[in-house]
Amino acid sequence: MSELTFVHSASWIPGLIAAIALFAVFVVKEWPRRSGSFVWRLAAGLVAVLALLAIALKPAHLTSVDGKQGVLLTSGYQEAQLDSLREINPELKELMYQDYIDRDELDSISQLFILGSGVKPYDFWQLDGRTVKFLKTEIPNGINQLSYSKIRSEGEDLNLTARYLKPKSGNQIVLQAPGNLGLDSIQFTAATDTVFSLQGTVKAPGDFVYTLAEKDSLGTLVNKQPLPIHINPEKQLQVVMLSAFPSFEFKYLKNYLAELNHQVLVRSQLTQGRFKYEYFNQERKPFNALTTSGLNDLDLLILDAGAWQSLLRNEQNSIKDAITQEGLGVFLMSSEELFYGSQPLIDFDFTRTAQTEVELQDGTVVSTFGYYLNPATNFNATLKSGNQILVGQRFLGFGSVSTTVLSNTYALQLKGNQERYKSLWSDILKNVLKPESDMVFYEETEQIVRPNEPYTIKFRTAVSEFTLTDIDGNSIPVIQDPDIPELWLATFYPEETGWFTLRFSAGDTISEYAYYVFAEEDWQARAAMALTKANQDNFTKGNAEVEELQVKRPINPIYFFILFVLAMGYLWLEPKLER
């Protein structure tokens, strides 16, 4: 059983209006020639107009078809899996995915299996409404997980954590600076999945490509993977720390920031209305850090829940304004009061857990308060353990507020692991710092950018009149978020590999953003891992029952063309026969 529909059903109203207008013109033209064949001429004109309308709208039969199984073969698929499906269904329809999907070939398929790493996320929409089952495949050997900061400051440590899937025993991984200068290395002692960490110090500012080079036991290069790093010039930050009560966590953090030569002002509450002031890397001066001018000069404000409650109402309002309008970053030190009392600035959605210790990606074990941030909330996860968010950030206007559920991280220093303590707090605080540009703030992305694939960036700005261009001066279209006016998105397609720059221009002010485009052969295992996870998350409905499949089968337009020719032929011939 089938019913009539149209391929271009969305255009039937303008098409009908055009047909009525065309027929009306024909009637007006024929009206002076009223005779015995007038009705026949009107009928012929109507047939011609309807034939044109049919050619434009493409009538089709909406037909129920017998469901068939198909398999979409993507990169990295296994022949063994394909052979198993062939044995189950000899009539299995096989389709090859080459960065596009032929939708016509999917018409007769009611259930589709996907083999390999999966479909690119920007093609998910083409499989909407279909029963799809993604069959998990093996990830190719190599580094499939990687964590490191892509933005560092001059003189800071580069800390890298990675997971190598099935390494070859005796091979080693070398972290190299530009010029193949070795910074750190590790050698695999067994062919088992290995999590490793490497460290080095970044030197000069600029855009660089460090590398992870894999060498065999003889020192011969096996392969190498790029590590793009944007190094900012060394900057002395202005930091204010407010504490309602003394704690070891607060003490070790202020010492760490002071050792980095940042200007740190600490105010600790002794009793009601009495405070202790400490100044690091700066001269003693009257405390005006919470005034409008003082907050505008800050890069970071660190305080606990008790310190927030002790502030005057106008001081709290000044801090809120500095966050939303000036881009100030605020980090809330975690304490029991944060989880049980009223929460400063925003409402954090904490979830209780019996687990009081977590293992980070590099294997480091740290304590928690027995909570984690709810992943369903609108938080930017800056540190995770599995699916649990340990450090979360939320944007408020042009600034942001961040907090953590970690506790007693200073124990890492007591155990002699000073470098891990430093790298941990560097990663925690760097995301909440006040952006360098007063006009635009770019959100960092984990996306692996490749040539001729869509790359989406997000940035925040209060400027309404601006242009975004690439290195060649080509304008890039932007979209404003409908719910967050200061949030903008831009999607474009890089064409070449290497470092490139986007330029944000507003009047005489220019802000640049550097991004790196990877080659197709870079980070294959890591890309396969990310693509597999994206497909698993998207096609969770793959086990649903097969639904009846209906497809639009267009009627051959040649029939309508013949009707049009016959009608026009009659209109041309009829006056001659009448004479």
Side-chain angles (χ1 to χ4, degrees):
M1 187 68 181
S2 64
E3 56 182 286
L4 189 64
T5 183
F6 297 95
V7 174
H8 299 150
S9 56
S11 303
W12 75 270
I13 292 180
L16 184 61
I17 294 174
I20 293 174
L22 184 62
F23 184 68
V25 172
F26 175 78
V27 172
V28 172
K29 182 177 179 299
E30 290 293 325
W31 189 259
R33 297 181 57 243
R34 295 189 301 276
S35 63
S37 60
F38 177 67
V39 175
W40 290 105
R41 292 200 305 275
L42 290 183
L46 180 62
V47 169
V49 171
L50 292 178
L52 289 176
L53 181 63
I55 292 174
L57 297 182
K58 291 188 177 181
H61 293 293
L62 191 62
T63 307
S64 299
V65 298
D66 295 332
K68 292 183 180 179
Q69 286 186 333
V71 58
L72 187 63
L73 306 178
T74 66
S75 62
Y77 75 90
Q78 297 173 312
E79 284 289 345
Q81 282 185 314
L82 180 58
D83 292 339
S84 298
L85 291 177
R86 287 169 175 165
E87 291 180 6
I88 298 173
N89 185 358
E91 297 183 358
L92 185 72
K93 186 173 182 179
E94 299 177 16
L95 308 176
M96 184 63 70
Y97 176 69
Q98 297 175 332
D99 292 341
Y100 70 92
I101 300 175
D102 191 339
R103 293 177 61 86
D104 292 336
E105 293 185 338
L106 296 176
D107 276 355
S108 61
I109 296 177
S110 58
Q111 186 179 35
L112 183 68
F113 297 97
I114 298 180
L115 297 186
S117 299
V119 177
K120 296 293 179 67
Y122 52 78
D123 278 330
F124 284 162
W125 67 273
Q126 300 200 52
L127 299 177
D128 288 345
R130 300 183 181 275
T131 302
V132 180
K133 186 171 183 179
F134 179 71
L135 301 182
K136 190 175 180 180
T137 187
E138 289 187 9
I139 304 299
N141 297 351
I143 297 175
N144 62 353
Q145 293 181 18
L146 176 68
S147 176
Y148 78 102
S149 179
K150 302 173 185 61
I151 301 177
R152 296 273 75 182
S153 294
E154 183 180 1
E156 285 188 339
D157 287 337
L158 168 64
N159 296 281
L160 175 149
T161 301
R163 180 176 181 267
Y164 198 112
L165 186 65
K166 298 178 181 178
K168 186 176 180 180
S169 180
N171 282 15
Q172 64 173 341
I173 297 291
V174 182
L175 173 61
Q176 295 179 336
N180 299 328
L181 176 64
L183 301 178
D184 199 1
S185 65
I186 183 175
Q187 187 169 24
F188 300 114
T189 57
T192 56
D193 297 353
T194 304
V195 176
F196 63 91
S197 298
L198 298 174
Q199 186 182 58
T201 302
V202 297
K203 301 293 185 181
D207 296 325
F208 297 95
V209 180
Y210 286 59
T211 57
L212 278 185
E214 181 177 1
K215 299 181 180 181
D216 60 18
S217 56
L218 300 177
T220 304
L221 181 66
V222 177
N223 65 68
K224 62 179 181 179
Q225 302 293 347
L227 289 172
I229 300 175
H230 175 76
I231 304 175
N232 292 317
E234 185 177 6
K235 178 184 178 183
Q236 188 179 46
L237 300 178
Q238 301 282 341
V239 182
V240 168
M241 302 179 67
L242 306 178
S243 173
F245 55 88
S247 68
F248 286 107
E249 191 79 291
F250 204 84
K251 173 185 175 181
Y252 278 87
L253 180 57
K254 73 178 180 182
N255 291 338
Y256 161 66
L257 294 173
E259 290 173 2
L260 293 176
N261 199 38
H262 297 314
Q263 292 187 2
V264 183
L265 191 160
V266 181
R267 188 180 79 171
S268 304
Q269 186 168 354
L270 301 176
T271 59
Q272 184 69 28
R274 293 186 60 196
F275 303 95
K276 174 186 175 182
Y277 296 90
E278 299 175 86
Y279 297 82
F280 298 89
N281 303 315
Q282 59 181 312
E283 297 180 357
R284 296 184 64 87
K285 55 187 177 182
F287 182 81
N288 65 345
L290 302 182
T291 62
T292 300
S293 59
L295 289 170
N296 289 345
D297 294 334
L298 289 187
D299 295 294
L300 178 64
L301 174 63
I302 301 175
L303 74 165
D304 54 36
W308 173 263
Q309 297 300 332
S310 67
L311 296 178
L312 300 176
R313 179 62 59 86
N314 64 324
E315 291 177 328
Q316 293 180 347
N317 291 334
S318 296
I319 292 175
K320 293 177 182 178
D321 291 340
I323 297 172
T324 57
Q325 299 176 18
E326 302 299 329
L328 176 64
V330 174
F331 183 82
L332 298 175
M333 293 291 291
S334 52
S335 63
E336 292 292 343
E337 189 175 359
L338 180 64
F339 302 106
Y340 293 109
S342 59
Q343 298 174 357
L345 295 168
I346 62 175
D347 291 328
F348 293 97
D349 189 359
F350 295 108
T351 300
R352 184 71 178 177
T353 175
Q355 186 179 6
T356 57
E357 286 187 341
V358 294
E359 183 176 342
L360 303 181
Q361 190 176 21
D362 63 349
T364 303
V365 177
V366 291
S367 301
T368 73
F369 281 92
Y371 293 87
Y372 63 88
L373 287 161
N374 191 342
T377 55
N378 186 26
F379 277 99
N380 178 31
T382 57
L383 181 64
K384 297 178 67 176
S385 175
N387 293 324
Q388 296 184 358
I389 300 178
L390 305 179
V391 181
Q393 175 191 28
R394 178 176 290 175
F395 290 97
L396 293 178
F398 299 103
S400 63
V401 180
S402 178
T403 193
T404 179
V405 297
L406 300 180
S407 68
N408 301 332
T409 60
Y410 66 89
L412 292 173
Q413 291 211 43
L414 299 180
K415 296 176 183 177
N417 200 353
Q418 289 89 350
E419 294 303 323
R420 187 63 185 100
Y421 174 86
K422 294 177 181 179
S423 65
L424 174 62
W425 276 102
S426 175
D427 292 337
I428 290 175
L429 297 180
K430 69 179 178 64
N431 294 288
V432 75
L433 289 176
K434 184 177 182 179
E436 293 185 10
S437 172
D438 294 334
M439 289 195 312
V440 58
F441 171 65
Y442 297 92
E443 296 186 14
E444 192 172 339
T445 176
E446 294 295 326
Q447 183 180 354
I448 298 179
V449 189
R450 299 194 188 277
N452 303 314
E453 292 187 3
Y455 174 40
T456 299
I457 63 168
K458 295 181 180 180
F459 59 94
R460 295 169 182 266
T461 181
V463 181
S464 57
E465 298 290 336
F466 65 87
T467 58
L468 189 68
T469 57
D470 61 17
I471 194 171
D472 296 322
N474 300 315
S475 180
I476 296 176
V478 296
I479 301 176
Q480 188 176 26
D481 189 281
D483 300 320
I484 309 175
E486 66 270 14
L487 180 61
W488 298 77
L489 294 86
T491 300
F492 57 98
Y493 292 76
E495 296 180 354
E496 300 178 359
T497 61
W499 277 107
F500 295 94
T501 302
L502 293 180
R503 180 168 292 179
F504 178 96
S505 303
D508 297 331
T509 307
I510 296 176
S511 175
E512 294 186 340
Y513 173 74
Y515 65 97
Y516 186 82
V517 182
F518 293 89
E520 193 64 37
E521 63 272 12
D522 294 338
W523 299 108
Q524 289 293 325
R526 184 180 164 207
M529 184 77 172
L531 187 58
T532 298
K533 185 179 184 306
N535 278 257
Q536 287 176 329
D537 293 342
N538 184 72
F539 298 118
T540 53
K541 58 183 181 296
N543 293 324
E545 294 183 2
V546 178
E547 300 178 356
E548 183 184 49
L549 182 66
Q550 290 188 320
V551 296
K552 291 181 179 180
R553 300 201 179 279
I555 299 173
N556 196 329
I558 190 65
Y559 300 128
F560 304 110
F561 179 72
I562 292 174
L563 284 176
F564 176 76
V565 171
L566 291 176
M568 297 304 293
Y570 171 78
L571 292 174
W572 174 78
L573 187 61
E574 188 272 339
K576 295 177 174 55
L577 294 176
E578 190 177 76
R579 287 197 296 269

